[in-house]
Amino acid sequence: MSTVSLRSINRRYPGGTHAVQDVSLEVADGEFMVLVGPSGCGKSTTLRMVAGLEPIDSGELYIGEREVSKLVPAERDIAMVFQNYALYPHMTAAENMGFGLRVRGTPKAEIKKRVTEAAELLELGDLVDRKPGKMSGGQRQRVAIGRAIVRQPAAFLFDEPLSNLDAKLRAEMRAELSKLHRRLGATMLYVTHDQVEAMTLGDRICLLRGGVIQQVGTPMELYERPANAFVARFIGTPPMNVWTGEVLAGGRRFRSTGGVELALPQNVSPGPAEVGLRPEHLSLTTVTDGPHLRVHVELVERMGATSLLHARTPGGEIILASMPGSMQVTEAETVTLAYNPDHVRTFPVEVSS
């Protein structure tokens, strides 16, 4: 396996769209790095640039010690797993997995050995003689992953490989991919728009927005110490509550445009700001002598172990609170929510260009 190093890479499309802007990222040998972000953020374009399927307009790309920016995909020593599986329908699972090796002139005995090993690793032993049309979506995706494994590449690239699966299969395949990574110790670069996938799979996450990296770190670093309000909103289910307003004189209190006042954990320079508070850091209380918010409940989503309370502040701002499933609250109530100021995060206001 190898490192993957992106050094100020850029991609501009005809018409002026700057899809990837000076992206620099170091993927360590054996690391599972996830590129995540909303549609159009540049994550798939970045992956395709690594694969050689999209040109790099400027910047450098290294796989291991080799600078590969100008090399064709076949010369980069990578294997890619696509969203749509890209299997040949007339070939069996074994033939699909070994096809790339056969094209490269690998001896038949070696092909059979590698395909057998990959099939065992992916628990495909009973399916190797079956064609894709006779397989489930999860089985086809495992065959596509097996085709990548037999290549024994320097790095694996995954382009939203689970997006065509239903929720149950996605959860199962996430677990399978995690186990596979541990077994192979492989360098993996994985693209998804699903932040749950990013949080559960990645050793580290690179969050993109508008072709620009917003933050790189472990899942918990992005969750607990988001670099800006966009990261705070994107990472976490349900998303963080974020208010726009200003830090008041004295630097220890914030007032939103809708009139919400929050205590801050430390002195912050007075002026425009955004603050965030995660739904799980709010709790029902009857005590009003500590930090609290009064809200009007509009909806309660009961999900078993937890309930999600949708409420509105007196100034009309929406607030989410995650509560135990047993909480006794109904729509149209006015309730008090307590919070610890240590959980309040402050972000600079983004200036539109």
Side-chain angles (χ1 to χ4, degrees), residues 7-12 18-23 49 55-60:
R7 303 179 185 179
S8 298
I9 66 170
N10 286 270
R11 178 69 176 121
R12 293 179 177 85
H18 198 169
V20 176
Q21 303 182 37
D22 290 319
V23 166
M49 292 162 77
I56 296 174
D57 293 324
S58 63
E60 297 177 327

Side-chain angles (χ1 to χ4, degrees), residues 141-337:
Q141 192 57 277
R142 291 211 300 274
V143 172
I145 294 169
R147 181 180 53 198
I149 289 172
V150 301
R151 290 270 312 278
Q152 299 178 350
F156 291 86
L157 310 181
F158 294 86
D159 189 8
E160 305 215 39
L162 308 185
S163 60
N164 288 337
L165 306 179
D166 62 35
K168 182 175 182 294
L169 268 177
R170 281 203 305 273
E172 291 174 358
M173 285 302 297
R174 283 202 306 268
E176 291 300 318
L177 282 170
S178 290
K179 288 189 287 187
L180 180 66
H181 178 248
R182 288 196 297 271
R183 289 172 189 160
L184 294 177
T187 305
M188 294 183 174
L189 190 57
Y190 185 104
V191 161
T192 182
H193 65 276
D194 185 339
Q195 57 98 6
V196 174
E197 277 183 32
M199 292 288 288
T200 54
L201 285 172
D203 293 326
R204 287 192 301 152
I205 295 172
C206 173
L207 178 55
L208 290 157
R209 179 192 188 192
V212 177
I213 291 178
Q214 301 297 300
Q215 189 172 356
V216 179
T218 67
M220 291 312 296
E221 284 172 347
L222 269 68
Y223 186 81
E224 294 178 342
R225 296 185 294 281
N228 55 43
F230 174 78
V231 177
R233 287 189 181 101
F234 193 88
I235 298 294
T237 304
M240 180 182 275
N241 298 294
V242 177
W243 295 272
T244 300
E246 64 175 342
V247 176
L248 304 178
R252 293 303 299 264
R253 292 193 69 80
F254 167 88
R255 180 185 293 138
S256 75
T257 54
V260 169
E261 287 204 18
L262 292 165
L264 302 178
Q266 58 193 14
N267 281 321
V268 178
S269 298
E274 291 183 292
V275 304
L277 185 61
R278 292 213 176 272
E280 62 268 31
H281 292 148
L282 290 158
S283 59
L284 287 172
T285 186
T286 57
V287 178
T288 58
D289 59 354
H292 69 277
L293 298 168
R294 291 285 287 171
V295 299
H296 180 75
V297 179
E298 295 190 337
L299 175 68
V300 178
E301 290 185 281
R302 299 196 182 276
M303 295 171 283
T306 62
S307 291
L308 183 62
L309 183 152
H310 297 248
R312 196 176 292 272
T313 67
E317 293 169 307
I318 295 293
I319 185 169
L320 301 177
S322 184
M323 304 288 173
S326 58
M327 76 167 183
Q328 300 300 310
V329 174
T330 58
E331 285 84 352
E333 280 191 67
T334 297
V335 299
T336 302
L337 299 176

Side-chain angles (χ1 to χ4, degrees), residues 58-201:
S58 63
E60 297 177 327
L61 171 67
Y62 285 81
I63 297 178
E65 300 298 319
R66 293 194 307 151
E67 210 283 332
V68 301
S69 303
K70 305 303 181 185
L71 299 183
V72 298
E75 297 173 333
R76 297 193 180 195
D77 194 18
I78 53 89
M80 191 160 180
V81 179
F82 296 91
Q83 177 180 347
N84 63 355
Y85 319 132
L87 301 177
Y88 294 106
H90 63 285
M91 293 183 182
T92 66
E95 290 168 341
N96 266 288
M97 286 192 286
F99 180 74
L101 297 179
R102 183 160 63 84
V103 169
R104 288 169 175 78
T106 305
K108 288 183 179 180
E110 179 65 15
I111 294 175
K112 183 177 180 179
K113 175 177 176 290
R114 292 195 197 180
V115 168
T116 299
E117 289 173 349
E120 290 176 355
L121 184 65
L122 295 165
E123 299 180 356
L124 288 169
D126 296 336
L127 301 172
V128 291
D129 295 322
R130 193 176 297 182
K131 293 180 180 178
K134 300 294 184 180
M135 298 179 188
S136 68
Q139 290 167 343
R140 290 197 295 270
Q141 192 57 277
R142 291 211 300 274
V143 172
I145 294 169
R147 181 180 53 198
I149 289 172
V150 301
R151 290 270 312 278
Q152 299 178 350
F156 291 86
L157 310 181
F158 294 86
D159 189 8
E160 305 215 39
L162 308 185
S163 60
N164 288 337
L165 306 179
D166 62 35
K168 182 175 182 294
L169 268 177
R170 281 203 305 273
E172 291 174 358
M173 285 302 297
R174 283 202 306 268
E176 291 300 318
L177 282 170
S178 290
K179 288 189 287 187
L180 180 66
H181 178 248
R182 288 196 297 271
R183 289 172 189 160
L184 294 177
T187 305
M188 294 183 174
L189 190 57
Y190 185 104
V191 161
T192 182
H193 65 276
D194 185 339
Q195 57 98 6
V196 174
E197 277 183 32
M199 292 288 288
T200 54
L201 285 172

Side-chain angles (χ1 to χ4, degrees), residues 36-47:
V36 68
S39 296
C41 72
K43 58 188 183 295
S44 288
T45 301
T46 300
L47 191 77

